Amino acid sequence: DQHHLTHRLYTKAMERKGLRALQEEGILETLAERAPTRVIPKDTEDEMIQRIYYGQRARDAQTALGLVQKYLPPRPKKVLPPDVVEESNRRLYYEQAVQSQQRKEALYDKYINQREPKFARLSPAEVQASAERLCQKK
């Protein structure tokens, strides 16, 4: 009994689908057979394109420009006084240059000077005594 019910539902659905396809095909055929009823001259067509497409683009651009001017006004230019500019230059350039030089010197003393060999500084009397010791015959 259930088998007959599902078979009937399936076949009815397929019949409806087939009828719908035939109806759509008939509609498409009638639309394809129809000839255009009015031919628009080329200059009128160009005028319509100009009015509909390019005119709308110009209106959109004008609207966007108005919104930008309304909600994003140009910011006033900020000009710093010369003494503030001079102070910034001194702080950012000159003081940093001095600090950089000090850092370089500290690192040079820390890493380079420690590795250089240290020579003993002898007085002339000590040099003479050392030379005499080395030259003595045993």
Side-chain angles (χ1 to χ4, degrees):
D1 191 36
Q2 188 177 5
H3 175 67
H4 294 294
L5 181 63
T6 55
H7 181 67
R8 183 178 57 113
L9 289 174
Y10 175 74
T11 55
K12 290 284 186 182
M14 293 307 289
E15 287 173 4
R16 279 194 306 268
K17 188 175 180 181
L19 286 174
R20 196 175 314 126
L22 288 175
Q23 288 174 348
E24 289 173 359
E25 188 176 306
I27 291 171
L28 290 177
E29 286 177 2
T30 57
L31 288 176
E33 290 173 0
R34 252 193 244 170
T37 56
R38 184 172 137 192
V39 177
I40 300 173
K42 181 70 174 156
D43 59 340
T44 307
E45 184 179 332
D46 290 342
E47 181 182 312
M48 289 171 61
I49 291 171
Q50 182 71 28
R51 180 174 44 86
I52 293 170
Y53 180 72
Y54 293 108
Q56 184 62 41
R57 285 192 58 169
R59 286 188 296 276
D60 290 345
Q62 188 67 27
T63 303
L65 182 63
L67 290 172
V68 164
Q69 289 174 348
K70 181 178 179 181
Y71 293 109
L72 293 173
R75 292 181 176 220
K77 292 184 178 180
K78 292 182 179 179
V79 179
L80 295 175
D83 58 338
V84 173
V85 172
E86 182 66 31
E87 171 63 24
S88 296
N89 285 343
R90 185 189 58 73
R91 184 172 36 85
L92 293 174
Y93 178 74
Y94 295 110
E95 288 180 7
Q96 288 298 321
V98 168
Q99 286 178 359
S100 175
Q101 184 64 29
Q102 289 172 351
R103 247 189 329 263
K104 286 179 186 176
E105 288 173 0
L107 290 172
Y108 186 84
D109 289 340
K110 182 176 180 181
Y111 293 107
I112 304 298
N113 282 344
Q114 286 182 358
R115 293 190 178 173
E116 289 181 354
K118 297 196 178 185
F119 298 105
R121 303 283 180 214
L122 300 176
S123 65
E126 292 174 331
V127 170
Q128 183 66 34
S130 175
E132 288 175 3
R133 270 196 322 269
L134 289 173
C135 292
Q136 282 180 359
K137 290 187 178 179
K138 294 186 179 180

